Amino acid sequence: MTKTKRTGGMVLGILFIGLCVSFLRLSQFGVDPFSAMNLGISGFIGWSFGTWQLLVNAIILVVVFFQARSCIGAGTIINMVFVGYIADFICYVANDVVQIQMNLPLRILALLLAQLMASMGVALYMVADMGIAPYDSVAIIIEKLTHQKIPFHKARILSDVVVVIIGIIFATASGAGIWSVVGIGTIINACFNGPLIQFFKTKLERFYL
């Protein structure tokens, strides 16, 4: 695989993840599990979503450094810095600048596109092998620590469920309510993202080879 292909895959994957988060927020069907946690906590403490997500990624990165150092690369840093802000910017443009009225068909379309971009985005920058987001490394660490008794796709579902529960706790404590961060989109993402990432990763590996 050429460096140009790897870099392109990494950048496109990160862009897809940012779009996924923003589309899920616009759909109002709930965000992805990791964002659910970060939206819940950032709302509770009064920080912007992008800034809090950057801090949490930095904390997880420390764990990744000691447990799965091979997952760290240029893509890791770019993902940490830009995904949250990409999501904030797109939501700002859609809600405040363009003022799109998200009717039910548009919300459903946004939800479907978000799920596709979520799994495709992660698969793209995993195959590019230039570093992945700290949170995406969590499932790899679980797989490693359990000696593959819990495979990646199941480890991803496990980690997603845990962060959703944390998001619910903080959203409830802030008074925003669980539906401000969790919805059918969150459940779909938590249940299907791991298997779909594995599916797209397999297909992309064949393409890149």
Side-chain angles (χ1 to χ4, degrees):
M1 186 190 305
T2 66
K3 187 174 182 180
T4 300
K5 272 190 175 182
R6 292 174 61 201
T7 302
M10 179 263 290
V11 171
L12 187 59
I14 291 171
L15 178 60
F16 276 9
I17 296 300
L19 287 168
C20 159
V21 174
S22 61
F23 281 4
L24 279 173
R25 289 168 65 179
L26 290 169
S27 76
Q28 300 173 45
F29 284 122
V31 296
D32 67 277
F34 188 52
S35 295
M37 180 185 75
N38 290 327
L39 283 171
I41 297 176
S42 62
F44 179 77
I45 64 177
W47 285 25
S48 79
F49 169 77
T51 300
W52 173 254
Q53 178 143 302
L54 176 59
L55 176 61
V56 174
N57 274 323
I59 294 171
I60 298 176
L61 183 61
V62 174
V63 178
V64 176
F65 180 80
F66 290 104
Q67 294 294 333
R69 200 170 302 178
S70 61
C71 292
I72 299 175
T76 307
I77 306 303
I78 295 173
N79 189 296
M80 285 173 57
V81 174
F82 288 105
V83 166
Y85 291 115
I86 288 172
D88 277 347
F89 175 73
I90 292 172
C91 287
Y92 164 72
V93 171
N95 291 325
D96 299 326
V97 179
V98 182
Q99 297 184 347
I100 297 175
Q101 298 300 313
M102 296 296 293
N103 54 34
L104 185 58
L106 283 178
R107 291 172 60 198
I108 293 173
L109 177 61
L111 173 61
L112 295 176
L113 288 174
Q115 180 57 64
L116 179 64
M117 290 179 179
S119 49
M120 178 67 82
V122 175
L124 271 166
Y125 65 60
M126 285 184 74
V127 171
D129 195 26
M130 295 184 70
I132 62 178
Y135 178 69
D136 293 325
S137 302
V138 171
I140 294 175
I141 292 173
I142 294 173
E143 183 180 38
K144 174 186 174 184
L145 293 178
T146 60
H147 304 288
Q148 298 184 330
K149 290 181 180 178
I150 302 179
F152 174 84
H153 63 283
K154 291 183 179 179
R156 179 62 185 238
I157 293 174
L158 175 64
S159 61
D160 282 348
V161 170
V162 170
V163 295
V164 165
I165 292 172
I166 295 173
I168 289 173
I169 291 172
F170 278 93
T172 302
S174 68
I178 65 173
W179 304 118
S180 64
V181 297
V182 177
I184 186 63
T186 312
I187 296 171
I188 291 173
N189 198 279
C191 293
F192 294 101
N193 208 29
L196 283 174
I197 290 170
Q198 189 64 43
F199 171 78
F200 284 121
K201 185 171 177 287
T202 301
K203 298 297 183 183
L204 287 168
E205 283 173 343
R206 293 175 183 174
F207 170 77
Y208 276 109
L209 290 176

